[in-house]
Amino acid sequence: MPRVFGDSLLHISEVDAIVENHVPLLEMIPPEPEPEDEIIGKQIADLVPDGATIQLGVGGIPNSIARYLVGTRTWEYIPRFLGRAW
């Protein structure tokens, strides 16, 4: 199940009902990147300076940008969505 950090924990005494569910959570599996996505992603990632803060969207190009940025320099991501590139 998704989980958040911070002051978000509940004691069992604060819960009125618990429903068990054994169905897997839905997952969006991205398609394999197109060759163009990889080319554009690398070119854009090369433009991101060390220490930059970025926000990425959803799709092949943002995933490719993230793949090229991971482990290459120090940067901060403002999350809206977190794809498999991470």
Side-chain angles (χ1 to χ4, degrees), residues 6-84:
D7 190 20
S8 60
L9 300 178
L10 294 174
H11 187 270
I12 192 71
S13 66
E14 299 176 273
V15 177
D16 293 325
I18 295 176
V19 177
E20 287 190 37
N21 185 357
H22 300 286
V23 177
L25 293 174
L26 294 177
E27 181 180 7
M28 184 182 90
I29 299 174
E32 289 297 316
E34 298 290 331
E36 297 84 4
D37 296 341
E38 292 295 315
I39 293 168
I40 295 169
K42 181 173 180 355
Q43 289 180 345
I44 293 174
D46 289 342
L47 297 174
V48 177
D50 192 37
T53 299
I54 63 169
Q55 179 175 343
L56 298 171
V58 176
I61 292 174
N63 286 345
S64 293
I65 295 169
R67 270 194 296 278
Y68 282 105
L69 287 175
V70 169
T72 61
R73 57 184 69 86
T74 303
W75 53 280
E76 182 178 345
Y77 174 68
I78 299 174
R80 280 187 66 196
F81 303 99
L82 206 53
R84 284 187 174 238

